[in-house]
Amino acid sequence: MQHDLIAQARTWLAEDPDPETRDELAALIDAGDTAELAARFAGTLQFGTAGLRGELGAGPMRMNRSVVIRAAAGLAAYLKAQGQEGGLVVIGYDARYRSEDFARDTAAVMTGAGLRAAVLPRPLPTPVLAYAIRHLGAVAGVEVTASHNPPRDNGYKVYLGDGSQIVPPADGEIAAAIAAVGPLAGVVRPEGGWETLGEEVLDAYLARTDAVLASGSPRTARTVYTAMHGVGTSVLTAAFARAGFPEPVLVTEQAEPDPAFPTVAFPNPEEPGAMDLAFATARRATPDLIIANDPDADRCAVAVPDTSVEGGWRMLRGDEVGALLAAHLVERGATGVFAESIVSSSLLGRIAEKAGLGYEETLTGFKWIARVDGLRYGYEEALGYCVDPEGVRDKDGITAALLVAELASVLKEQGRTLLDLLDDLALAHGLHATDQLSVRVEDLSVIADAMARLREQPPTALAGLAVTSAEDLSQGTDLLPPTDGLRYQLEGARVIVRPSGTEPKLKCYLEVVVPVADAAGLPAARARGAELLAGIKRDLATAAGI
């Protein structure tokens, strides 16, 4: 067994084109570190949620140039099998470690396979790549990013020519093509022959961002902005300048790209502590709102002044921003379909119904939301918003920020705030309170065990609320294809449990709906909502054994 492992590692080492990971792997072999080698050769990184994501390092279970070259070769073979020989593949990348290397390798593989390749001019937000696919008439797009994952991670996100992330059966067919790639020596990788795009592709994207705003709308909201050490600053500030908003006050410590993400434990606005510098900047600058992007700027977080909380600033939940943007679009006379994933708040459906608009629920992820027929607006609770589906068929933290700033400006002209509009929505539709129980694990078997326990012994009540139905989503439903998840309906509440598709986490999404008779009843409704959510979280953790 040990001999086989060493032999497997030596075979990998012999064809690794990267001196850095070659040295790393050679050191592990020389040290006889079989535990570490076993972890790195336990299989291969699985081509899953829109592509690959994992920790950087040597071996097939890590993100490295060998894995990326194989992925690119498999994608190229898939595209050619689909009759796309000679088609254009556009490639974008963020500012993480090795992102530019992986983008260049992808361009070389595509060129060598007889496709055309074009690489974005520099590290840019993921939505710029998603926009460029359709703008340039590409047959596919690749974005090298690990979004908001820890610094040592990187990833490889794949889009097809419709500008949407891949879904079944394409993902399985691409995975099979990757698995069929032979020795790396047989993958043709020329030194050049691809195009590096100029700034005109970004200019076209920025021109498109104007489309999300209403002509003549107020543009007075003042913002503090953080890019969370990612690639958002230059694009967001350019978009705000074009639109005529006041120049955002930058969180200077986090404004420039830095793959080490030195000021945050996890570069995700949802993680505890990630927004502390933004809050400190806001206390000095006293803006109307804080806007944060994640490192590849496809997500948008919003915080607002709130004297009732310590520090005077409160992060809005993704579900709150999702409902606010929906209400704003309804007020602007939007037509079409509003869509969200099953883990997001049911409030969107109530807003759409009252406005006479179409509404659809999808599986988790914008690869599903963006495919809804007639989509006008889609969102997901994890800070993702698609506000211009004709331009970007994916979540877009830049255009979402523009729309939030427009809404804040409209309300400011009325002497009102985003919190006032949330109160209006609670009075109109009931208080929809959401929360998440999220458990990060080192050992993935913990997640599998929790899911198995819940399947074998589903809870009959949570926080004193009877469970009225328990669905195993792996069986699929009338409206949804199968997915690894569980959905519980309770009296006045809903719970969904699923493993994360991109991180080693078990995620449980909780929602309670509390009726509110009048404005005077809002504080009691919020207190009741918080009490129920805390109780559901406690009882669910016990039921899952986590």
Side-chain angles (χ1 to χ4, degrees):
M1 173 69 179
Q2 184 174 330
H3 177 76
D4 290 348
L5 183 62
I6 296 292
Q8 196 180 355
R10 289 193 189 282
T11 300
W12 184 274
L13 178 66
E15 64 171 22
D16 188 340
D18 187 339
E20 190 177 315
T21 45
R22 272 207 311 273
D23 290 349
E24 182 185 319
L25 187 54
L28 291 173
I29 294 170
D30 292 346
D33 191 342
T34 52
E36 184 62 25
L37 288 171
R40 291 169 183 241
F41 286 85
T44 58
L45 270 187
Q46 288 305 298
F47 194 83
T49 301
L52 300 166
R53 200 176 288 186
E55 186 179 345
L56 291 164
M61 287 295 288
R62 298 287 185 267
M63 281 295 296
N64 51 64
R65 290 184 61 201
S66 296
V67 164
V68 165
I69 289 166
R70 287 184 178 279
L75 175 59
Y78 167 83
L79 292 171
K80 289 166 73 175
Q82 298 293 313
Q84 305 286 8
E85 180 91 37
L88 174 68
V89 178
V90 62
I91 302 154
Y93 58 100
D94 66 11
R96 283 178 177 266
Y97 296 119
R98 310 312 303 269
S99 286
E100 189 171 0
D101 296 337
F102 296 164
R104 188 173 57 247
D105 280 330
T106 301
V109 171
M110 294 302 163
T111 303
L115 292 143
R116 293 179 296 125
V119 183
L120 293 185
R122 54 190 167 89
L124 287 168
T126 293
V128 177
L129 180 276
Y131 167 80
I133 294 165
R134 293 171 71 218
H135 175 66
L136 297 173
V139 299
V142 171
E143 175 72 16
V144 180
T145 181
S147 190
H148 57 282
N149 275 38
R152 285 298 303 167
D153 288 4
N154 214 327
Y156 198 82
K157 184 182 284 195
V158 177
Y159 300 75
L160 293 182
D162 64 355
S164 299
Q165 298 174 44
I166 52 169
V167 295
D171 55 357
E173 291 167 5
I174 294 169
I178 293 169
V181 173
L184 283 192
V187 178
V188 179
R189 287 184 291 126
E191 290 295 313
W194 58 88
E195 179 184 2
T196 299
L197 296 165
E199 292 293 315
E200 63 276 1
V201 68
L202 176 60
D203 293 341
Y205 167 82
L206 286 169
R208 177 77 205 183
T209 62
D210 299 348
V212 306
L213 302 173
S215 177
S217 63
R219 314 277 167 92
T220 56
R222 295 176 303 110
T223 57
V224 157
Y225 171 72
T226 175
M228 208 65 65
H229 298 296
V231 297
T233 297
S234 65
V235 179
L236 182 129
T237 52
F240 270 55
R242 284 182 63 97
F245 286 104
E247 184 179 354
V249 175
L250 300 182
V251 178
T252 52
E253 302 94 330
Q254 299 174 335
E256 295 302 315
D258 187 337
F261 303 107
T263 68
V264 290
F266 291 98
N268 178 354
E270 293 180 294
E271 293 282 351
M275 294 290 287
D276 286 356
L277 286 169
F279 292 150
T281 304
R283 284 191 281 274
R284 294 192 300 270
T286 63
D288 298 303
L289 71 165
I290 298 171
I291 288 174
N293 287 139
D294 66 339
D296 69 326
D298 64 350
R299 298 170 193 244
C300 176
V302 180
V304 294
D306 186 344
T307 54
S308 71
V309 299
E310 185 180 349
W313 282 86
R314 175 163 86 82
M315 274 281 285
L316 296 181
R317 302 194 69 84
D319 283 318
E320 292 176 311
V321 177
L324 288 168
L325 291 179
H328 181 46
L329 290 171
V330 167
E331 185 66 24
R332 277 180 30 182
T335 58
V337 178
F338 283 10
E340 63 181 340
S341 63
I342 56 172
V343 299
S344 305
S345 171
S346 59
L347 178 55
L348 183 69
R350 291 182 166 90
I351 291 170
E353 182 182 18
K354 187 171 182 180
L357 298 175
Y359 168 73
E360 279 197 41
E361 271 191 327
T362 74
L363 292 183
T364 310
F366 274 81
K367 61 182 180 178
W368 300 107
I369 294 170
R371 285 187 152 72
V372 168
D373 284 342
L375 181 68
R376 173 58 186 89
Y377 167 64
Y379 98 91
E380 191 156 74
E381 55 73 44
L383 310 182
Y385 314 94
C386 175
V387 301
D388 177 26
E390 287 306 305
V392 175
R393 290 186 177 172
D394 198 1
K395 55 187 178 291
D396 182 346
I398 304 297
T399 50
L402 285 170
L403 201 60
V404 169
E406 179 184 65
L407 172 57
S409 300
V410 169
L411 293 167
K412 185 178 180 180
E413 301 285 297
Q414 301 167 358
R416 286 159 44 81
T417 67
L418 296 176
L419 294 180
D420 292 327
L421 182 52
L422 284 174
D423 287 349
D424 292 350
L425 292 172
L427 292 171
H429 306 286
L431 178 78
H432 289 62
T434 60
D435 201 358
Q436 193 181 119
L437 171 62
S438 181
V439 182
R440 186 182 291 272
V441 300
E442 294 293 327
D443 180 0
L444 290 176
S445 69
V446 173
I447 294 175
D449 291 347
M451 295 297 289
R453 182 181 282 109
L454 289 170
R455 284 191 166 102
E456 289 160 14
Q457 295 180 296
T460 56
L462 297 168
L465 302 176
V467 175
T468 56
S469 74
E471 292 175 278
D472 186 344
L473 299 176
S474 66
Q475 308 302 309
T477 72
D478 291 346
L479 299 174
L480 299 169
T483 186
D484 186 9
L486 300 164
R487 177 163 59 182
Y488 304 115
Q489 299 291 348
L490 295 83
E491 293 173 352
R494 183 213 66 201
V495 172
I496 292 175
V497 184
R498 60 179 281 273
S500 169
T502 54
E503 297 177 272
K505 282 182 173 182
L506 181 68
K507 290 188 166 185
C508 310
Y509 304 85
L510 326 174
E511 178 177 47
V512 299
V513 183
V514 183
V516 191
D518 52 36
L522 279 169
R526 287 206 173 87
R528 175 62 176 157
E531 176 191 355
L532 286 171
L533 287 171
I536 292 172
K537 194 183 284 192
R538 179 190 64 238
D539 293 353
L540 186 63
T542 301
I546 52 178

